Amino acid sequence: MATGIKDKVAILGMGCSKFGERWDASPEDLMVEAYSEAMADAGIEPEQLDAAWFSTHMDDVGVGRGGTPMGIALRLPNIGVTRVENFCAGGSEAIRAAVYAVAAGACDIALALGVEKLKDTGYGGLPVATVGTYIPQWYPNAVAPANFAQLASAYQRKHGVDAALLKRAIAHVSIKSHANGAKNPKAHFQQAVTEEQVLKAPMIAQPLGLYDCAGVSDGAAAVIVTTPEIARSLGKRDLVTFKALQVAVSNGWEMHSNEWDGSYVHTARIAARKAYAEAGITRPREQISMTEVHDCFSITELVTMEDLGLSEDGGAVRDVLDGHFDAEGRIPCQIDGGLKCFGHPIGASGIRMLYEMYLQLQGRAGARQLGDPKVGLTHNLGGQPSQNVCSVSIVGREGA
Amino acid sequence: MFGITGYGGYVPRLRLARRAVVEANAWYAPHLAGKAKGTRSMSNWDEDSITMAVAAARDCLGASEDRSHVRSVLLASTTLPYVERLNAGVVCEALTLREDVEAIDMGGSQRSALSALTQAMARVRTGGGDALVVASDHRKTRAASSQELDFGDGAAALLVGSGQVIAEYLGAGTLSVDFIDHFRTTGEDIDYAWEERWVRDEGIGKLVPRAIATALAEAGVEAEKIDHFIFPSTFQKMDLQLARRCGIRAEAVVDALAAQVGETGVPHALLLLAQVLERARPSQLILVAQFGSGAQAVLFRVTDAIGSFRPVKGVSSQLATGVEEHNYTKFLSFKEQLRLERGMRGEQDRKTALSTAYRHKAAILGLVAGRCEVTGSVHFPPSRLSHDQGRPLQDTQKPYKLAERRGRVLSWSAESLSFHRSPPHHYGQVDFDGGGRILMEFTDVAQGDIDTGTEVEMVFRIKDIDELRGFTRYFWKATPVRTPSSSPTESSAATA
């Protein structure tokens, strides 16, 4: 039976570009920005990298396909570079590949880097994804806000939640993330918003208004991983190690049966269960110090709290409104502003989430530093609630 | 005995208020002021002659799983979307008819619906099984023209056979004469017409009575015995004039629905016939005539079996469930006469892989799912593997039709981000009665029409239009189940 990766791999260094409307930077520039910080943080030379994994989603508006865009942009020493793409979970997939390579003993030191240059698409929101030749012939010409907004209608019906109450709860999700993002100099949006602003914002996809939607941003993030032993040999102390890396992918059950009720994300529950088992976590509400979850839309974050077992089923509305996930709450969520305010360059997001966990666990998060976090959870959701890729990763202090 | 064994019709839900058109164009065409009364039917952006034909045929055929009795389909229209690609073939796929059905497109004149009908009679007479006659028109007119106000969109269907005949075929009269009252050359959208008085007096007034006389003579019926006389025309009281000239009683003249629907073109005679059959009594005589490149008249006698058939909805019911539309720019946009700003999202390439479409034509055009014979679960699209508690079963699915089943909305949203011809764009997950689930678009809806639990039914509609290559893609959409009592009378500004 697999023993998992708990404490087998440590973070040697991390870097993250400033996220936002980076009119000043090409994707290559963003990669260099994140990579340079990560290499300086790790204190190694390029020749010490054994392999790299490169996450980018949109090949038509970004850097193109394959591993060469990263190999060339970073002038890597002819190491293996593999492009990974798994919707919004691509960054977490790049981490998983690098960590697994180190854990397997195939590499001593591996790099994972994600980048996305969304603002070169020419309009707000995500471009329409290419999904082959069959699906477009019957599937709605759907956009992400409406796909995720459907969680709200189904959640409301399942739990008998008043529409106005749910709207207030998801408004609080955004208010909290804006408050957090205001303390983050690398975040795309750095200003607080009021409940009135959120509730009165233009409607994007019922019931989601403008402030219920994550930022569409340019950005890059990088992580360098190695074994705890090598990290120590390179002089590192207070190691942050991986406790669990799990991914669950839809098999069609949600849409090809009538069993799923549409109010939650099935794969998130599976990935969370497996991640907790791998990390040895039995009471997540007590043992998880903080989370960075895939708040592509405010309703997604609310539902995710239940999927991760951090709220009771049907209890997230109350927990959110009670401030349970605020920076001062029991389990802070999106301390860095989340997708909502830090931004969401698709291929980079999973690594950006890990970056915040790393800073917090090392006490390097500046104005937004939490008290004494020990274990952090990151969660990515790619695709849409009815068919998706979900990753749940847990990191913590060595031995935690 | 052979004749009509079933009938149905289709009138789009939207009814454009003529006053809105007249007022918008008053600066330019004040002479249209006299036409400001009533409404005309107005197809949604996702409707064309094919989709309306399917709707009328479904109204006629009913929800029966077995449609194998239909051996031929004759589709009459002068506004078919394809010049080459069998339009009737698309209708057959949507109706899940057998592949060995003979499907034929007919057109060329405004009387082609009756030509299709007489051809269907001939087929039935020679033992060719049931023939489905469908007529449908989605007419384009120029803005601020009389035709824009006079015309309407719609479709009608008749099933012709020798089984349970509800209206016996007695005879027909046909004249094929190259009298050009109007014409439209290949590639053009809009007719060019000649002077009305000449058309009325030298064309309709002289040619139609000859066709009627032939039909009556063939049947051995006297004109004064006719109970229902149907003659669609945009000329006011032309039907009454013809009746007088032919010796038909004025009371027999069937109201042409000008006040609500307008003149729908090729299907209009059959649409009126479908409505007459809803109220016709045994042994009544129905005379239907059409004019165009000559004239045609067909005569029926209603049988004692008339009460044995009911269309799914019927024309009268659809007339009662219309919604008045006051937005003239919406009409122009839906008719592709007003190019509205689409934004970058409207630049999306909607190319269709024809090989993929062919491979999955039953699922896409027929809405045929797969039902697992072991678990009973319904999969859309159908697949080789079925779910069974995490242990997939292979090759256990059998074709399972969803189009005639109702469903309920599990989840939904309406968004204003994507390019959509009638925002906000509504879609969501629909759970079908008896199993099956599809994430699909909603159509003919205004804000507030869709909620979780809303009961919906399926309609065959345009899915996408590939303007780069001129290809129209079809699929099914969900629309709320409506009854005359549940329908609003006026459209909100956001009717999709």
Side-chain angles (χ1 to χ4, degrees), chain B residues 47 83 105 116 245 253 281 334 337 356 406 426 445 490:
Chain B
E47 297 187 287
V83 174
D105 288 347
R245 192 167 300 180
V253 175
R281 297 190 305 277
F334 285 8
Q337 287 180 292
T356 308
R406 288 186 175 181
H426 283 75
V445 289
E490 204 156 293

Side-chain angles (χ1 to χ4, degrees), chain A residues 254-297:
Chain A
E254 297 95 324
M255 282 180 71
H256 296 176
S257 78
N258 295 89
E259 294 167 33
W260 180 59
D261 65 20
S263 74
Y264 65 99
V265 180
H266 178 59
T267 53
R269 297 188 173 209
I270 293 169
R273 192 182 69 229
K274 289 183 174 176
Y276 291 146
E278 187 174 24
I281 287 173
T282 51
R283 304 179 311 285
R285 274 172 73 94
E286 296 161 31
Q287 294 169 275
I288 299 292
S289 311
M290 57 190 171
T291 63
E292 288 287 328
V293 307
H294 205 87
D295 57 322
C296 47
F297 303 96

Side-chain angles (χ1 to χ4, degrees), chain B residues 12-93:
Chain B
R13 181 167 179 260
L14 294 181
R15 310 291 152 73
L16 179 65
R18 292 192 176 106
R19 176 164 298 283
V21 182
V22 169
E23 286 176 357
N25 292 318
W27 65 276
Y28 178 76
H31 62 280
L32 295 177
K35 288 178 176 282
K37 294 186 199 111
T39 62
R40 55 151 292 173
S41 61
M42 164 183 162
S43 55
N44 204 333
W45 74 267
D46 60 357
E47 297 187 287
D48 66 8
S49 300
I50 284 181
T51 68
M52 292 192 290
V54 171
R58 292 174 70 207
D59 194 44
C60 171
L61 292 176
S64 170
E65 191 80 7
D66 181 12
R67 290 170 171 167
S68 61
H69 57 95
V70 178
R71 305 301 302 127
S72 52
V73 173
L74 294 90
L75 173 60
S77 172
T78 65
T79 56
L80 292 172
Y82 288 95
V83 174
E84 183 134 5
R85 178 191 182 185
L86 189 62
N87 298 276
V90 183
V91 173
C92 291
E93 291 286 358

